[in-house]
Amino acid sequence: MVKNIASYATLTLTILALLYVSFQSNETIDLSKYSTEGLVLNYTVSIDAQEVNNSLVYNDEDNSFSPYLGKSFVGFKEALAFKESGGDYSSVNTYGYLGKYQFGTETLKMIGINNPASFLKNPRLQEKAFIANAARNKWILRRDIKNFVGKRINGIIVTESGVLAAAHLAGPGSVKKYLRSYGLDNFADGYGTTVHYYMKRFSGYDTSFVKPNKRAKAI
């Protein structure tokens, strides 16, 4: 009996020792090696890209996964954000426009945001604000989208995503003027970026995710 107990005790101690050794490692991970500091994180999708998937794209040849966003809605908003601020939620430009998507304070008020300082520190709210503003602009421009999408103005085919991007830049009123003047009234912001440029750069994305909403709010 004593011999059996001793055997069991020895076996138990041996197992515990092996488990202890297996979980020990002298290797340490230097997280600084994985920093993205100094890298150019370019979310811009080529104007000539033809993909129209609503999901992340797979390579048909070997069925391997690719993080390319194509012409999806996510691709649209990330490309627009990169152009506006480099994708930086904390960005404030020289004209006081705020966040990843560079909102003005008056636009924020229209979608229910009255505290710009709090907005700047809240990435989730900034994403909601982008959707709400796009939905409001889509409602305001619903007739112009119906009447002009597919037509050629100043050498480019008008698309819904181009219209919404230009409205984000210049406001829906400026986009109406551009479309209804067939490109003669081409608003430019303080940095010289025009409605036409945004209409071209952000054409052909799938923005069907955005539903027109006259009273869209972020909160």
Coordinates of all heavy atoms in Angstrom, one line a residue, residues 114-190:
N114 N -23.2 68.5 -30.3 CA -23.0 69.9 -29.9 C -21.7 70.1 -29.0 O -21.5 71.2 -28.6 CB -24.2 70.3 -29.0 CG -25.5 70.4 -29.9 OD1 -25.6 71.1 -30.9 ND2 -26.5 69.6 -29.5
N115 N -21.0 69.0 -28.9 CA -19.7 69.2 -28.1 C -18.5 68.7 -29.0 O -18.2 67.5 -29.0 CB -19.8 68.3 -26.9 CG -18.6 68.5 -25.9 OD1 -17.5 68.9 -26.3 ND2 -18.9 68.3 -24.6
P116 N -17.9 69.6 -29.7 CA -16.8 69.3 -30.6 C -15.6 68.6 -29.9 O -15.0 67.7 -30.5 CB -16.4 70.6 -31.3 CG -17.6 71.4 -31.1 CD -18.3 71.0 -29.9
A117 N -15.3 69.1 -28.7 CA -14.2 68.5 -28.0 C -14.4 67.0 -27.7 O -13.5 66.2 -27.8 CB -13.9 69.3 -26.7
S118 N -15.6 66.7 -27.2 CA -16.0 65.3 -26.9 C -16.0 64.5 -28.2 O -15.5 63.3 -28.2 CB -17.3 65.3 -26.2 OG -17.7 63.9 -26.0
F119 N -16.5 65.1 -29.3 CA -16.6 64.4 -30.6 C -15.2 64.0 -31.0 O -15.0 62.9 -31.5 CB -17.2 65.3 -31.6 CG -17.1 64.9 -33.0 CD1 -18.0 63.9 -33.5 CD2 -16.2 65.4 -33.9 CE1 -17.9 63.5 -34.8 CE2 -16.1 65.0 -35.2 CZ -17.0 64.1 -35.7
L120 N -14.2 64.9 -30.9 CA -12.9 64.6 -31.3 C -12.2 63.4 -30.6 O -11.3 62.8 -31.2 CB -12.0 65.9 -31.1 CG -10.7 66.0 -31.9 CD1 -11.0 66.0 -33.4 CD2 -10.0 67.3 -31.5
K121 N -12.7 63.1 -29.4 CA -12.1 62.1 -28.6 C -12.9 60.7 -28.7 O -12.6 59.8 -28.0 CB -12.0 62.5 -27.1 CG -11.1 63.7 -26.9 CD -11.2 64.1 -25.4 CE -10.4 65.4 -25.2 NZ -10.5 65.8 -23.8
N122 N -13.9 60.7 -29.6 CA -14.8 59.6 -29.7 C -14.8 59.0 -31.1 O -15.7 59.4 -31.9 CB -16.2 60.0 -29.2 CG -17.1 58.9 -29.0 OD1 -17.0 57.8 -29.6 ND2 -18.1 59.1 -28.1
P123 N -13.9 58.0 -31.4 CA -13.9 57.4 -32.8 C -15.3 56.8 -33.1 O -15.7 56.9 -34.3 CB -12.8 56.4 -32.7 CG -11.9 56.9 -31.6 CD -12.8 57.6 -30.6
R124 N -15.9 56.2 -32.2 CA -17.2 55.5 -32.5 C -18.2 56.6 -33.0 O -19.0 56.4 -33.9 CB -17.7 54.8 -31.3 CG -19.0 54.0 -31.6 CD -19.5 53.3 -30.3 NE -18.6 52.3 -29.9 CZ -18.6 51.1 -30.3 NH1 -19.5 50.7 -31.2 NH2 -17.7 50.2 -29.8
L125 N -18.3 57.7 -32.3 CA -19.2 58.8 -32.6 C -18.8 59.4 -34.0 O -19.7 59.7 -34.8 CB -19.2 59.9 -31.5 CG -20.2 61.0 -31.7 CD1 -21.6 60.5 -31.9 CD2 -20.1 62.0 -30.6
Q126 N -17.5 59.5 -34.3 CA -17.1 60.0 -35.6 C -17.6 59.1 -36.7 O -18.0 59.6 -37.8 CB -15.6 60.1 -35.6 CG -15.1 61.2 -34.7 CD -13.6 61.5 -34.9 OE1 -13.1 61.5 -36.0 NE2 -12.9 61.9 -33.9
E127 N -17.6 57.8 -36.5 CA -18.1 56.9 -37.6 C -19.6 57.0 -37.7 O -20.1 57.0 -38.8 CB -17.7 55.4 -37.2 CG -16.2 55.1 -37.2 CD -15.5 55.3 -38.5 OE1 -16.2 55.2 -39.6 OE2 -14.3 55.5 -38.6
K128 N -20.3 57.2 -36.6 CA -21.7 57.4 -36.7 C -22.1 58.7 -37.4 O -23.0 58.8 -38.1 CB -22.3 57.4 -35.3 CG -22.4 56.0 -34.6 CD -23.0 56.1 -33.2 CE -23.2 54.8 -32.6 NZ -23.8 54.8 -31.2
A129 N -21.3 59.7 -37.1 CA -21.5 61.0 -37.7 C -21.3 60.9 -39.2 O -22.1 61.6 -40.0 CB -20.5 62.0 -37.1
F130 N -20.3 60.2 -39.7 CA -20.2 60.0 -41.1 C -21.4 59.4 -41.8 O -21.9 59.9 -42.8 CB -18.9 59.2 -41.4 CG -18.7 59.0 -42.9 CD1 -18.0 60.0 -43.6 CD2 -19.1 57.9 -43.6 CE1 -17.8 59.9 -45.0 CE2 -18.9 57.7 -44.9 CZ -18.3 58.7 -45.7
I131 N -21.9 58.3 -41.2 CA -23.1 57.7 -41.7 C -24.3 58.6 -41.7 O -25.0 58.7 -42.7 CB -23.4 56.4 -41.0 CG1 -22.2 55.4 -41.0 CG2 -24.7 55.7 -41.5 CD1 -21.8 54.9 -42.3
A132 N -24.5 59.3 -40.6 CA -25.6 60.2 -40.5 C -25.6 61.3 -41.5 O -26.6 61.7 -42.1 CB -25.7 60.7 -39.1
N133 N -24.4 61.9 -41.6 CA -24.3 63.0 -42.6 C -24.5 62.6 -44.0 O -25.1 63.2 -44.8 CB -22.9 63.6 -42.4 CG -22.7 64.9 -43.2 OD1 -23.5 65.9 -43.1 ND2 -21.7 65.0 -44.1
A134 N -24.0 61.4 -44.3 CA -24.1 60.8 -45.7 C -25.6 60.5 -46.0 O -26.1 60.8 -47.1 CB -23.3 59.6 -45.9
A135 N -26.3 60.0 -44.9 CA -27.8 59.7 -45.1 C -28.5 61.0 -45.3 O -29.5 61.1 -46.1 CB -28.3 59.0 -43.9
R136 N -28.2 62.1 -44.6 CA -28.9 63.4 -44.7 C -28.6 63.9 -46.1 O -29.5 64.4 -46.8 CB -28.4 64.3 -43.6 CG -29.0 65.7 -43.6 CD -28.6 66.5 -42.5 NE -29.1 67.9 -42.6 CZ -28.5 68.8 -43.4 NH1 -27.3 68.5 -44.0 NH2 -29.0 70.0 -43.4
N137 N -27.3 63.9 -46.5 CA -27.0 64.4 -47.8 C -27.7 63.7 -49.0 O -28.1 64.2 -50.0 CB -25.5 64.4 -48.0 CG -24.8 65.5 -47.2 OD1 -25.4 66.5 -46.8 ND2 -23.5 65.3 -47.0
K138 N -27.8 62.3 -48.8 CA -28.4 61.5 -49.8 C -29.9 61.9 -49.9 O -30.5 61.8 -51.0 CB -28.2 60.0 -49.5 CG -28.6 59.1 -50.6 CD -28.2 57.7 -50.4 CE -28.5 56.8 -51.5 NZ -28.0 55.4 -51.3
W139 N -30.5 62.2 -48.8 CA -31.9 62.6 -48.9 C -32.1 64.0 -49.6 O -32.9 64.1 -50.5 CB -32.5 62.7 -47.5 CG -34.0 63.0 -47.5 CD1 -35.0 62.1 -47.6 CD2 -34.6 64.3 -47.5 NE1 -36.2 62.8 -47.6 CE2 -36.0 64.1 -47.6 CE3 -34.1 65.6 -47.4 CZ2 -36.9 65.2 -47.6 CZ3 -35.0 66.7 -47.4 CH2 -36.4 66.5 -47.5
I140 N -31.2 64.9 -49.2 CA -31.3 66.3 -49.9 C -31.0 66.2 -51.4 O -31.7 66.9 -52.2 CB -30.2 67.2 -49.2 CG1 -30.6 67.4 -47.7 CG2 -30.1 68.5 -50.0 CD1 -29.5 68.2 -47.0
L141 N -30.1 65.3 -51.8 CA -29.7 65.2 -53.2 C -30.4 64.0 -53.9 O -30.0 63.7 -55.0 CB -28.2 65.0 -53.2 CG -27.4 66.2 -52.8 CD1 -25.9 65.7 -52.5 CD2 -27.4 67.3 -53.8
R142 N -31.5 63.5 -53.3 CA -32.1 62.3 -53.9 C -32.6 62.5 -55.4 O -32.4 61.7 -56.2 CB -33.3 61.8 -53.0 CG -34.4 62.8 -52.9 CD -35.3 62.5 -51.7 NE -36.5 63.4 -51.7 CZ -36.5 64.6 -51.2 NH1 -35.3 65.2 -50.8 NH2 -37.6 65.3 -51.2
R143 N -33.2 63.7 -55.6 CA -33.6 64.0 -57.0 C -32.5 64.2 -58.0 O -32.5 63.8 -59.1 CB -34.5 65.2 -57.0 CG -35.9 65.0 -56.2 CD -36.8 66.2 -56.5 NE -38.1 66.0 -55.7 CZ -38.3 66.4 -54.5 NH1 -37.3 67.1 -53.8 NH2 -39.4 66.2 -53.9
D144 N -31.4 64.8 -57.5 CA -30.3 65.1 -58.3 C -29.6 63.7 -58.6 O -29.0 63.5 -59.7 CB -29.3 66.0 -57.7 CG -29.9 67.4 -57.5 OD1 -29.9 68.2 -58.5 OD2 -30.5 67.7 -56.5
I145 N -29.5 62.9 -57.6 CA -28.9 61.5 -57.9 C -29.7 60.8 -58.9 O -29.2 60.2 -59.9 CB -28.9 60.7 -56.5 CG1 -27.8 61.3 -55.6 CG2 -28.6 59.3 -56.8 CD1 -27.8 60.8 -54.2
K146 N -31.0 60.9 -58.8 CA -31.9 60.2 -59.8 C -31.7 60.8 -61.2 O -31.7 60.1 -62.2 CB -33.4 60.3 -59.4 CG -34.4 59.7 -60.3 CD -35.8 59.8 -59.8 CE -36.8 59.2 -60.8 NZ -38.2 59.4 -60.3
N147 N -31.6 62.1 -61.3 CA -31.6 62.8 -62.6 C -30.2 62.8 -63.3 O -30.1 62.8 -64.5 CB -32.0 64.2 -62.4 CG -33.5 64.3 -62.1 OD1 -34.3 63.4 -62.4 ND2 -33.9 65.4 -61.4
F148 N -29.1 62.7 -62.4 CA -27.8 62.9 -63.0 C -26.9 61.7 -63.0 O -25.9 61.7 -63.8 CB -27.1 64.1 -62.3 CG -27.6 65.4 -62.7 CD1 -28.6 66.1 -61.8 CD2 -27.3 66.1 -63.8 CE1 -29.1 67.3 -62.1 CE2 -27.8 67.4 -64.2 CZ -28.7 68.0 -63.3
V149 N -27.1 60.8 -62.2 CA -26.2 59.6 -62.1 C -26.3 58.9 -63.5 O -27.4 58.6 -64.0 CB -26.6 58.6 -61.0 CG1 -26.0 57.2 -61.2 CG2 -26.2 59.2 -59.7
G150 N -25.1 58.6 -64.0 CA -25.0 58.0 -65.4 C -24.7 59.0 -66.5 O -24.3 58.6 -67.6
K151 N -24.9 60.3 -66.2 CA -24.6 61.3 -67.2 C -23.2 61.7 -67.1 O -22.6 61.6 -66.0 CB -25.6 62.5 -67.0 CG -27.0 62.2 -67.3 CD -27.9 63.5 -67.2 CE -29.3 63.2 -67.5 NZ -30.2 64.4 -67.4
R152 N -22.7 62.3 -68.2 CA -21.3 62.8 -68.2 C -21.2 64.3 -68.0 O -21.9 65.0 -68.8 CB -20.6 62.3 -69.5 CG -19.1 62.6 -69.5 CD -18.5 62.2 -70.8 NE -18.5 60.7 -71.0 CZ -17.6 59.9 -70.5 NH1 -16.6 60.4 -69.8 NH2 -17.7 58.6 -70.6
I153 N -20.5 64.7 -67.0 CA -20.3 66.2 -66.8 C -18.8 66.4 -66.7 O -18.1 65.8 -65.9 CB -21.0 66.6 -65.5 CG1 -22.5 66.5 -65.7 CG2 -20.7 68.1 -65.2 CD1 -23.4 66.9 -64.5
N154 N -18.3 67.4 -67.4 CA -16.9 67.7 -67.4 C -16.0 66.5 -67.6 O -14.9 66.3 -66.9 CB -16.5 68.4 -66.1 CG -16.9 69.9 -66.1 OD1 -17.2 70.5 -67.1 ND2 -17.0 70.5 -64.9
G155 N -16.4 65.6 -68.4 CA -15.6 64.5 -68.8 C -15.7 63.3 -67.9 O -15.0 62.3 -68.1
I156 N -16.5 63.3 -66.8 CA -16.6 62.2 -65.9 C -18.1 61.7 -65.8 O -19.0 62.5 -66.0 CB -16.1 62.5 -64.5 CG1 -16.9 63.6 -63.8 CG2 -14.6 62.9 -64.5 CD1 -16.7 63.7 -62.4
I157 N -18.3 60.4 -65.6 CA -19.6 59.9 -65.4 C -20.0 60.2 -63.9 O -19.3 59.8 -63.0 CB -19.6 58.4 -65.7 CG1 -19.2 58.1 -67.1 CG2 -21.0 57.8 -65.4 CD1 -20.2 58.7 -68.2
V158 N -21.2 60.8 -63.8 CA -21.7 61.0 -62.4 C -22.1 59.7 -61.8 O -22.8 58.9 -62.3 CB -22.8 62.0 -62.4 CG1 -23.4 62.2 -61.0 CG2 -22.4 63.3 -63.1
T159 N -21.6 59.5 -60.5 CA -22.0 58.3 -59.7 C -22.5 58.8 -58.4 O -22.2 59.9 -57.9 CB -20.8 57.3 -59.5 OG1 -19.8 58.0 -58.7 CG2 -20.2 56.9 -60.9
E160 N -23.3 57.9 -57.7 CA -23.8 58.3 -56.4 C -22.7 58.5 -55.4 O -22.8 59.5 -54.6 CB -24.8 57.2 -55.9 CG -25.4 57.5 -54.6 CD -26.3 56.4 -54.1 OE1 -27.5 56.4 -54.6 OE2 -25.9 55.6 -53.2
S161 N -21.7 57.7 -55.4 CA -20.6 57.8 -54.5 C -19.9 59.1 -54.7 O -19.4 59.8 -53.7 CB -19.7 56.6 -54.5 OG -19.0 56.5 -55.8
G162 N -19.7 59.5 -56.0 CA -19.0 60.8 -56.2 C -19.9 61.9 -55.7 O -19.3 62.9 -55.2
V163 N -21.2 61.9 -55.9 CA -22.1 62.9 -55.4 C -22.0 63.0 -53.9 O -21.9 64.1 -53.3 CB -23.5 62.6 -55.8 CG1 -24.5 63.5 -55.1 CG2 -23.7 62.8 -57.4
L164 N -22.0 61.9 -53.2 CA -22.0 61.9 -51.7 C -20.6 62.4 -51.2 O -20.5 63.1 -50.2 CB -22.3 60.5 -51.2 CG -23.7 60.0 -51.4 CD1 -23.9 58.7 -50.8 CD2 -24.7 61.0 -50.8
A165 N -19.5 62.0 -51.9 CA -18.2 62.5 -51.5 C -18.1 64.0 -51.7 O -17.6 64.7 -50.8 CB -17.1 61.8 -52.3
A166 N -18.6 64.5 -52.8 CA -18.5 65.9 -53.1 C -19.4 66.7 -52.1 O -19.1 67.8 -51.6 CB -19.0 66.2 -54.5
A167 N -20.5 66.1 -51.7 CA -21.4 66.7 -50.7 C -20.7 66.8 -49.3 O -20.9 67.7 -48.5 CB -22.7 66.0 -50.6
H168 N -19.9 65.8 -49.0 CA -19.2 65.8 -47.8 C -18.1 66.9 -47.8 O -17.9 67.6 -46.8 CB -18.5 64.4 -47.6 CG -17.7 64.3 -46.3 ND1 -18.3 63.9 -45.1 CD2 -16.4 64.6 -46.0 CE1 -17.4 64.0 -44.1 NE2 -16.3 64.3 -44.6
L169 N -17.5 67.1 -48.9 CA -16.5 68.2 -49.1 C -17.1 69.6 -49.0 O -16.7 70.4 -48.3 CB -15.8 68.0 -50.4 CG -14.9 69.2 -50.8 CD1 -13.6 69.2 -50.0 CD2 -14.6 69.2 -52.3
A170 N -18.2 69.8 -49.8 CA -18.6 71.1 -50.1 C -20.1 71.4 -49.6 O -20.5 72.6 -49.7 CB -18.5 71.4 -51.6
G171 N -20.8 70.4 -49.1 CA -22.2 70.6 -48.8 C -23.1 70.2 -49.9 O -22.7 70.4 -51.1
P172 N -24.3 69.8 -49.7 CA -25.2 69.4 -50.7 C -25.6 70.5 -51.6 O -25.8 70.3 -52.8 CB -26.4 68.8 -50.0 CG -26.3 69.3 -48.6 CD -24.9 69.5 -48.3
G173 N -25.7 71.7 -51.1 CA -26.0 72.9 -51.9 C -25.1 73.1 -53.1 O -25.4 73.4 -54.2
S174 N -23.8 73.0 -52.8 CA -22.7 73.2 -53.8 C -22.8 72.1 -54.8 O -22.5 72.4 -56.0 CB -21.4 73.2 -53.1 OG -21.2 74.4 -52.3
V175 N -23.1 70.9 -54.4 CA -23.2 69.8 -55.4 C -24.4 70.0 -56.3 O -24.3 69.7 -57.5 CB -23.3 68.4 -54.6 CG1 -23.5 67.3 -55.6 CG2 -22.1 68.2 -53.8
K176 N -25.5 70.5 -55.8 CA -26.7 70.8 -56.6 C -26.3 71.8 -57.7 O -26.7 71.7 -58.9 CB -27.8 71.3 -55.8 CG -28.6 70.3 -55.0 CD -29.8 70.9 -54.3 CE -30.7 69.9 -53.6 NZ -31.9 70.5 -53.0
K177 N -25.6 72.9 -57.2 CA -25.2 73.9 -58.2 C -24.3 73.3 -59.3 O -24.4 73.7 -60.5 CB -24.5 75.0 -57.5 CG -25.5 75.9 -56.6 CD -24.7 76.9 -55.8 CE -25.6 77.7 -54.9 NZ -24.8 78.7 -54.1
Y178 N -23.4 72.5 -58.9 CA -22.5 71.9 -59.9 C -23.2 71.0 -60.9 O -23.0 71.2 -62.1 CB -21.4 71.0 -59.1 CG -20.5 70.3 -60.0 CD1 -19.4 70.9 -60.5 CD2 -20.8 68.9 -60.4 CE1 -18.5 70.2 -61.4 CE2 -19.9 68.3 -61.3 CZ -18.8 68.9 -61.8 OH -17.9 68.2 -62.6
L179 N -24.1 70.2 -60.4 CA -24.8 69.3 -61.3 C -25.8 70.1 -62.2 O -25.9 69.9 -63.4 CB -25.6 68.3 -60.5 CG -24.8 67.2 -59.7 CD1 -25.6 66.4 -58.8 CD2 -23.9 66.4 -60.7
R180 N -26.5 71.0 -61.6 CA -27.6 71.7 -62.4 C -27.0 72.8 -63.3 O -27.7 73.2 -64.3 CB -28.6 72.4 -61.4 CG -29.3 71.3 -60.6 CD -30.3 71.9 -59.6 NE -30.9 70.8 -58.8 CZ -31.8 71.0 -57.9 NH1 -32.3 72.2 -57.7 NH2 -32.3 70.0 -57.1
S181 N -25.7 73.1 -63.1 CA -25.0 74.0 -64.1 C -24.2 73.2 -65.0 O -23.5 73.8 -65.8 CB -24.1 75.0 -63.3 OG -23.0 74.4 -62.7
Y182 N -24.3 71.9 -64.9 CA -23.5 71.0 -65.8 C -22.0 71.3 -65.7 O -21.3 71.3 -66.6 CB -24.0 71.0 -67.2 CG -25.2 70.2 -67.4 CD1 -26.5 70.7 -67.1 CD2 -25.2 68.8 -67.7 CE1 -27.6 70.0 -67.3 CE2 -26.3 68.1 -67.9 CZ -27.5 68.6 -67.6 OH -28.7 67.9 -67.7
G183 N -21.6 71.5 -64.4 CA -20.2 71.7 -64.1 C -19.6 73.1 -64.2 O -18.4 73.3 -63.9
L184 N -20.4 74.1 -64.5 CA -19.9 75.4 -64.6 C -19.7 76.0 -63.2 O -18.8 76.8 -63.0 CB -20.9 76.3 -65.4 CG -21.1 76.0 -66.9 CD1 -22.1 76.8 -67.5 CD2 -19.7 76.1 -67.6
D185 N -20.6 75.7 -62.3 CA -20.4 76.2 -60.9 C -19.7 75.2 -60.1 O -20.3 74.3 -59.5 CB -21.8 76.5 -60.3 CG -21.7 77.3 -59.0 OD1 -20.7 77.2 -58.3 OD2 -22.7 78.0 -58.7
N186 N -18.3 75.3 -60.1 CA -17.5 74.2 -59.5 C -16.8 74.8 -58.2 O -15.7 75.3 -58.2 CB -16.4 73.8 -60.5 CG -15.6 72.6 -60.1 OD1 -16.0 71.9 -59.2 ND2 -14.5 72.5 -60.7
F187 N -17.5 74.6 -57.1 CA -17.0 75.1 -55.8 C -15.7 74.5 -55.5 O -15.4 73.3 -55.7 CB -18.0 74.7 -54.7 CG -17.6 75.0 -53.3 CD1 -17.8 76.3 -52.7 CD2 -16.9 74.0 -52.6 CE1 -17.3 76.5 -51.4 CE2 -16.5 74.3 -51.3 CZ -16.7 75.5 -50.7
A188 N -14.8 75.3 -54.8 CA -13.5 74.9 -54.3 C -13.4 75.3 -52.8 O -13.8 76.4 -52.4 CB -12.4 75.5 -55.1
D189 N -12.9 74.4 -52.0 CA -12.7 74.7 -50.6 C -11.5 75.5 -50.4 O -10.8 76.0 -51.3 CB -12.7 73.4 -49.7 CG -11.4 72.6 -49.9 OD1 -10.5 73.0 -50.7 OD2 -11.3 71.5 -49.3
G190 N -11.1 75.8 -49.1 CA -10.0 76.7 -48.8 C -8.7 76.2 -49.3 O -7.7 77.0 -49.4

